[in-house]
Amino acid sequence: MRAIATGPGATGTADPRPTLITGGAGFVGANLAHRLLSQQRPVLILDNLSRPGVERNLAWLREQHVTGLDVTIADVRDRNAVARAVERVRQVFHFAAQVAVTTSLVDPREDFEINALGTLNVLEAISAQPEPPPIVITSTNKVYGGLEDVGLRLQGQHYAPESAATFAHGISETRPLDFHSPYGCSKGTADQYVHDYARSYGLKSIVFRMSCIYGQRQFGTEDQGWVAHFLLRAIDKKPITLFGDGKQVRDILYVDDLVDAFLLAERHMDRLSGQAFNIGGGPGNVISLLDLLERIERLDGKRPAVSFEGWRTGDQRWYVSDPRRFQQATGWSPRVTAEQGIERLYNWLRELRAGEQPLSNASQEQHACAPA
Ligand SMILES: NC(=O)c1ccc[n+]([C@@H]2O[C@H](COP(=O)([O-])OP(=O)(O)OC[C@H]3O[C@@H](n4cnc5c(N)ncnc54)[C@H](O)[C@@H]3O)[C@@H](O)[C@H]2O)c1
């Protein structure tokens, strides 16, 4: 029988049960796992290792943490595997996903099955528990669609909204949902299911609608993670393909700040459950693709060669999060500026490259530029 959550979630640090991170071998997941393990909190990762390169994150986590890490290699589409993992844990961070708009256009069914059905599997497993663990999931700015009604002007080499208020604050959670692209639809479906399981079944849940996250352990081997991708191409002295005019803008958030936000969401779950929050670097950390090329030139001494191709489906010309709702609720704010974060990631990737063989051309070409 389905349990309805009534009491507070088991979030005290004395709870010996692990925290489940689906997709925990990935970029965001590995960073959260590292933080939790560093705080002596046991972690269970469920990941099918479908993203090329993420096994390196697992190897790194195992090197860093001799105890506390448990790994299940499984697919979120496997409801039995998901149920077995969920029954052991105190808290769930659900990150496993098909993460690329481009891939979702090629195979929308697989995208749906991983992102929508995979999330339903997690929710069903949680709600079947006598004491359902709280869940935080990572949704996307793509749930707000193309923002075609937001009037834009060109300001130098980036788009900016005509409205002074939108320019100053970004896009808030009051923005109507408008799922765009199969990826936007599958992530949006997951976002709304999680929201509704809080409403219908009393699950404790928080949804993060994230803009562009970047940082260490982001390898850039899929159509997502353009900041890391540009830096890698520059380090490898290879040209970059820009889709569109390169003036599209995102607010970027360094992954350490995102991990802080996850921990605050977990801590304030009882008060914030049932809500969605726009999480990103906000108006203070805004950058266009062309701006990033300039910063790379300053860091690397040379501007990477670029070529241009047409706009890609679902690529917003401007998206900047308004993170004030989460800030006001928890006191969180990003601490790493775009400038600091880009330099940190550049240095980390340079060290990584110094100790490895370059990634294959094929995997890097695919990655091109996809602001998430
Ligand atoms: N990085 C960003 O800028 C960004 C922005 C918005 C939303 N998100 C969301 O944040 C989450 C984490 O993103 P990320 O950047 O760490 O991506 P990532 O690709 O590095 O991590 C995703 C992980 O999920 C795993 N995975 C994929 N399909 C799976 C499946 N069927 N079963 C089990 N595991 C599976 C992959 O192997 C990978 O380790 C995703 O849900 C993504 O949609 C990320």
Side-chain angles (χ1 to χ4, degrees):
M1 201 180 74
R2 186 188 304 279
I4 306 289
T6 49
T11 52
T13 46
D15 190 327
R17 291 174 298 166
T19 293
L20 174 62
I21 308 177
T22 73
F27 156 54
V28 168
N31 277 283
L32 175 63
H34 177 54
R35 180 78 69 86
L36 293 175
L37 289 162
S38 302
Q39 295 173 352
Q40 277 69 54
R41 281 184 53 180
V43 168
L44 170 61
I45 284 176
L46 183 147
D47 200 299
N48 69 353
L49 305 185
S50 57
R51 179 156 185 164
V54 294
E55 59 286 347
R56 283 185 283 181
N57 284 338
L58 276 190
W60 173 78
L61 283 170
R62 285 185 170 123
E63 256 170 50
Q64 300 290 312
H65 306 282
V66 279
T67 58
L69 176 62
D70 195 356
V71 178
T72 296
I73 306 298
D75 196 303
V76 286
R77 288 169 288 184
D78 177 349
R79 56 201 288 193
N80 295 324
V82 169
R84 282 194 298 275
V86 165
E87 68 189 17
R88 298 168 49 195
V89 302
R90 61 185 268 194
Q91 163 75 40
V92 177
F93 289 94
H94 176 45
F95 304 156
Q98 190 300 108
V99 294
V101 172
T102 44
T103 312
S104 78
L105 286 159
V106 174
D107 194 344
R109 179 174 295 276
E110 184 172 80
D111 173 80
F112 180 85
E113 286 175 357
I114 296 171
N115 292 354
L117 214 48
T119 301
L120 187 63
N121 286 342
V122 174
L123 289 172
E124 281 294 276
I126 290 175
S127 62
Q129 298 308 306
E131 244 191 89
I135 177 171
V136 177
I137 71 150
T138 43
S139 181
T140 165
N141 57 306
K142 294 281 185 271
V143 301
Y144 297 123
L147 308 175
E148 286 87 359
D149 60 312
V150 176
L152 297 178
R153 62 194 157 89
L154 265 177
Q155 194 183 56
Q157 55 185 11
H158 44 259
Y159 290 100
E162 282 164 351
S163 148
T166 310
F167 181 77
H169 300 303
I171 298 293
S172 82
E173 299 81 358
T174 58
R175 173 92 201 164
L177 296 175
D178 176 21
F179 304 162
H180 201 150
S181 78
Y183 171 78
C185 290
S186 63
K187 292 292 284 186
T189 301
D191 171 317
Q192 289 300 286
Y193 261 93
V194 170
H195 188 55
D196 189 64
Y197 265 58
R199 217 167 19 204
S200 295
Y201 301 113
L203 290 199
K204 295 196 178 301
S205 74
I206 290 176
V207 176
F208 275 8
R209 294 184 183 144
M210 305 186 331
S211 185
C212 171
I213 314 299
Y214 71 111
Q216 68 277 354
R217 314 233 64 84
Q218 188 177 31
F219 295 120
T221 55
E222 294 282 345
D223 306 31
Q224 183 219 30
W226 58 282
V227 177
H229 167 66
F230 279 24
L231 292 169
L232 277 169
R233 297 293 283 186
I235 291 165
D236 292 341
K237 309 290 176 223
K238 294 205 170 137
I240 294 169
T241 305
L242 297 185
F243 293 91
D245 58 11
K247 296 172 183 166
Q248 55 269 56
V249 159
R250 297 290 181 273
D251 58 319
I252 61 174
L253 179 68
Y254 200 71
V255 69
D256 292 352
D257 285 323
L258 177 66
V259 170
D260 288 346
F262 285 138
L263 298 183
L264 283 166
E266 184 190 36
R267 188 186 308 159
H268 297 287
M269 179 61 78
D270 286 342
R271 186 164 51 86
L272 303 183
S273 178
Q275 297 187 57
F277 296 96
N278 291 352
I279 301 287
N285 293 293
V286 164
I287 188 167
S288 74
L289 308 187
L290 295 177
D291 292 336
L292 179 57
L293 293 177
E294 254 176 27
R295 289 190 192 204
I296 289 175
E297 188 175 354
R298 271 181 262 147
L299 286 169
D300 203 52
K302 189 168 181 285
R303 192 182 176 87
V306 294
S307 62
F308 288 89
E309 289 198 17
W311 287 94
R312 300 211 286 201
T313 304
D315 192 0
Q316 298 143 325
R317 280 165 176 68
W318 174 90
Y319 182 87
V320 174
S321 320
D322 177 352
R324 284 179 299 167
R325 188 164 166 195
F326 191 70
Q327 285 175 343
Q328 282 155 13
T330 64
W332 174 84
S333 62
R335 287 186 288 188
V336 182
T337 65
E339 192 155 351
Q340 292 165 336
I342 290 166
E343 187 169 350
R344 271 194 211 178
L345 179 55
Y346 173 78
N347 290 334
W348 184 81
L349 289 169
R350 271 184 71 102
E351 273 177 37
L352 182 85
R353 275 295 191 249
E356 70 167 19
Q357 294 294 315
L359 299 171
S360 74
N361 282 343
S363 62
Q364 290 212 14
E365 289 304 343
Q366 266 191 48
H367 197 62
C369 160

